[in-house]
Amino acid sequence: MKKVYIETYGCQMNVADTETVFSILAQNGYARTSDMDDADIIMANTCSIRDNAEQRIWGRIEQFNLRKKRHPEVLVGILGCMAERLKDELLDSGKVDIVAGPDTYRKLPELIAAAASGTPQIDVMLSREETYADITPVRLDSNGVSAFISIMRGCNNACSYCVVPYTRGAERSRDFSSILREACDCASRGYREITLLGQNVDSYGFEGTGFAELLGMVAGQVPDVRIRFSTSNPQDISEKVLTTMASHPNICHHIHLPVQSGSDRILEKMRRRYTREGYLSKVRRIREIMPDCAITTDVIAGFCSETEQDHRDTLSLFEEVGFDAAYMFYYSERPGTLAARKYPDDVDLATKTRRLEEIITLQNRLSLESNRRDIGKTFTVLVEGRSKKSPDELCGRNSQNKMCVWPDSRHSAGDTLQVRVKDCTQATLLCEEI
Ligand code: 5AD
Ligand code: SF4
């Protein structure tokens, strides 16, 4: 049996895709290995979101080729977003044998077989239908607690900075009956948490069923499993999603709501379809319906033409919302996107990094303040495993997705228990079992 090793980069969607790829390959007689030096086929499932993500993968391709030098029969494959974006450029490097885009994974067995007979293979066709609905992923989560279920693929938003619509193609939703089946399957295998994944979950739609209905159906179908979802878009998340979250005890109170900028002028150039005030009113509504709901975000510093005033608008929005956590980036121009074609990347690197640092410093304080507000509160946590810092402590997340640690010798991964917060750091709630 040939052995396949896959490294996964980028978002949770890619993790779910790697699980699909392993499933397709297993059905075709390939085995999985987690040791690159043991593999006959070495692959990376890649990300193109920022230039540094791609640079890192070029570095890995060099590493893969060191093994190939010693064992010329080893095949190197590039999957996912970078395969889709760079296409032949990867084959032309002479360092890659297989290039497969996100919608062509069913063809991997064929591509591998053809590449093994000496001709490099590429398939980067995007599809309007492929959702891999019938493929049961090989779950890679080693402690068997948390599973991803992809509910849709692609993206129809046209955010001017973003490469995803080009790498993952048009949006399509997966048949809800296959999603429900997969949720039941996860529950029966002992999974205690499911995260529903899509680039824009609020635009899920299959035969009249929207995201709020789907969320309610999944939560009702597996009432003992915690449900999370990602990602929501500020203009699309609906009242009905919020009331569904509030009315099912097993849906977690956490919304990841990428804001990208606090300046209306920049939001318009980014082609986001909301204003600063629209975003803030969405946040107020979330908190009216679920006062304990955590809100996290993504932000981009130094987008084209961003001024100090625009930047201060972002800082003040962060202050006003008081995000529980954030993923923070500086703008990286992606070839072919609307922004790359239309606007010069005119904020210099030093300014971008300085603004990013200012946002990070502010968010570090906001995260600490958010955690301090939790001191004295009790939460239900789902045990993920031993804490990294101390063998006598367990770690797990609460509904708000905050990491909790507490001394514990009785429980193990997959258990649920109540803890009280005694203290905190910026990243963790320090708790005791109650
Ligand atoms: N440059 C920097 N960050 C980006 N993101 C998306 N495209 C870019 C880009 N060109 C960020 C956004 C998005 C997150 C997944 O990555 O904040 O929400
Ligand atoms: Fe990276 Fe976006 Fe592709 Fe996910 S969808 S792998 S974040 S480029």
Side-chain angles (χ1 to χ4, degrees):
M1 247 196 189
K2 294 243 190 265
K3 289 186 216 152
V4 184
Y5 166 84
I6 306 183
E7 280 179 13
T8 306
Y9 295 86
C11 58
Q12 297 172 327
M13 212 60 166
N14 260 16
V15 176
D17 280 3
T18 296
E19 296 182 333
T20 297
V21 168
F22 272 126
S23 174
I24 292 169
L25 293 178
Q27 281 166 21
N28 287 273
Y30 291 91
R32 174 159 71 93
T33 173
S34 44
D35 178 7
M36 180 170 113
D37 293 324
D38 188 36
D40 303 292
I41 300 145
I42 302 175
M43 301 206 273
N45 191 1
T46 61
C47 175
S48 288
I49 197 93
R50 285 170 287 276
D51 184 56
N52 55 14
E54 289 195 352
Q55 291 314 321
R56 216 168 126 209
I57 289 155
W58 279 115
R60 289 307 290 159
I61 293 174
E62 293 300 329
Q63 295 293 313
F64 298 165
N65 273 267
L66 292 181
R67 176 157 160 80
K68 208 173 151 65
K69 273 215 184 81
R70 278 176 280 121
H71 303 276
E73 72 288 357
V74 165
L75 297 177
V76 172
I78 295 298
L79 314 177
C81 290
M82 200 172 154
E84 194 63 49
R85 195 181 86 74
L86 294 177
K87 302 182 170 73
D88 291 307
E89 195 178 327
L90 286 162
L91 285 192
D92 295 345
S93 74
K95 294 177 173 155
V96 176
D97 305 292
I98 300 153
V99 176
D103 289 344
T104 65
Y105 297 150
R106 287 180 202 268
K107 294 224 190 108
L108 273 172
E110 262 172 68
L111 296 174
I112 292 172
S117 54
T119 321
Q121 297 292 312
I122 178 165
D123 193 337
V124 289
M125 272 296 278
L126 287 170
S127 157
R128 294 195 159 270
E129 286 95 35
E130 181 62 273
T131 59
Y132 300 109
D134 55 314
I135 292 174
T136 306
V138 170
R139 308 258 168 226
L140 296 176
D141 167 36
S142 54
N143 62 10
V145 176
S146 196
F148 293 130
I149 299 185
S150 148
I151 64 165
M152 57 204 294
R153 301 182 68 82
C155 184
N156 280 359
N157 285 342
C159 305
S160 63
Y161 51 80
C162 189
V163 76
V164 174
Y166 304 89
T167 60
R168 285 190 168 263
E171 181 185 289
R172 65 224 99 120
S173 294
R174 180 175 162 190
D175 181 343
F176 57 79
S177 53
S178 79
I179 297 171
L180 290 174
R181 257 201 315 279
E182 197 173 326
C184 291
D185 180 63
C186 290
S188 69
R189 287 166 193 255
Y191 284 91
R192 306 301 314 278
E193 181 174 83
I194 286 172
T195 305
L196 304 177
L197 294 179
Q199 296 298 342
N200 187 8
V201 290
D202 303 286
S203 52
Y204 176 86
F206 190 87
E207 292 177 354
T209 298
F211 182 61
E213 291 81 19
L214 176 75
L215 186 59
M217 286 196 293
V218 174
Q221 188 92 27
V222 289
D224 299 329
V225 176
R226 293 209 300 204
I227 311 298
R228 301 186 180 280
F229 58 87
S230 192
T231 296
S232 304
N233 271 293
Q235 73 277 6
D236 293 325
I237 186 165
S238 68
E239 189 80 10
K240 213 165 160 198
V241 167
L242 301 180
T243 52
T244 305
M245 288 175 76
S247 63
H248 286 81
N250 59 329
I251 303 179
C252 289
H253 286 190
H254 169 220
I255 299 178
H256 186 63
L257 202 63
V259 67
Q260 315 299 4
S261 169
S263 151
D264 281 338
R265 194 180 67 82
I266 295 296
L267 285 172
E268 192 177 334
K269 282 195 130 165
M270 288 178 162
R271 299 236 170 161
R272 299 291 282 178
R273 289 174 287 118
Y274 54 89
T275 59
R276 173 192 177 95
E277 184 42 40
Y279 186 90
L280 289 171
S281 75
K282 205 58 103 171
V283 167
R284 282 192 292 272
R285 195 66 193 128
I286 293 169
R287 289 179 172 157
E288 270 163 28
I289 297 178
M290 289 170 288
D292 68 341
C293 191
I295 301 176
T296 58
T297 203
D298 292 344
V299 67
I300 300 176
F303 185 65
C304 313
S305 86
E306 187 187 73
T307 62
E308 282 307 312
Q309 183 55 48
D310 294 320
H311 170 58
R312 281 194 295 272
D313 287 346
T314 297
L315 293 172
S316 73
L317 179 129
F318 267 59
E319 195 83 65
E320 227 172 307
V321 175
F323 290 112
D324 297 283
Y327 294 98
M328 300 159 278
F329 315 100
Y330 64 73
Y331 175 59
S332 164
E333 185 177 82
R334 306 316 289 130
T337 56
L338 184 71
R341 283 178 277 133
K342 221 173 142 188
Y343 309 124
D345 180 10
D346 54 3
V347 178
D348 61 81
L349 188 59
T351 306
K352 282 181 183 173
T353 16
R354 193 249 309 149
R355 289 181 186 165
L356 177 61
E357 282 305 321
E358 287 175 10
I359 299 173
I360 293 173
T361 305
L362 169 58
Q363 182 54 45
N364 286 347
R365 170 165 67 74
L366 295 174
S367 299
L368 183 61
E369 285 172 8
S370 160
N371 284 353
R372 284 211 177 118
R373 286 192 293 274
D374 287 339
I375 293 177
K377 292 186 189 163
T378 61
F379 293 107
T380 304
V381 291
L382 172 62
V383 182
E384 287 177 16
R386 300 250 143 244
S387 139
K388 282 194 195 84
K389 292 205 177 120
S390 152
D392 305 325
E393 295 191 325
L394 293 182
C395 68
R397 284 162 207 278
N398 66 5
S399 170
Q400 288 70 15
N401 207 34
K402 287 187 180 177
M403 186 51 91
C404 301
V405 298
W406 65 96
D408 193 330
S409 53
R410 295 193 301 133
H411 294 94
S412 53
D415 289 346
T416 300
L417 69 145
Q418 295 271 109
V419 298
R420 181 183 295 112
V421 183
K422 288 170 58 186
D423 199 359
C424 67
T425 66
Q426 172 200 307
T428 314
L429 300 179
L430 311 172
C431 308
E432 61 188 355
E433 194 187 334
I434 48 172

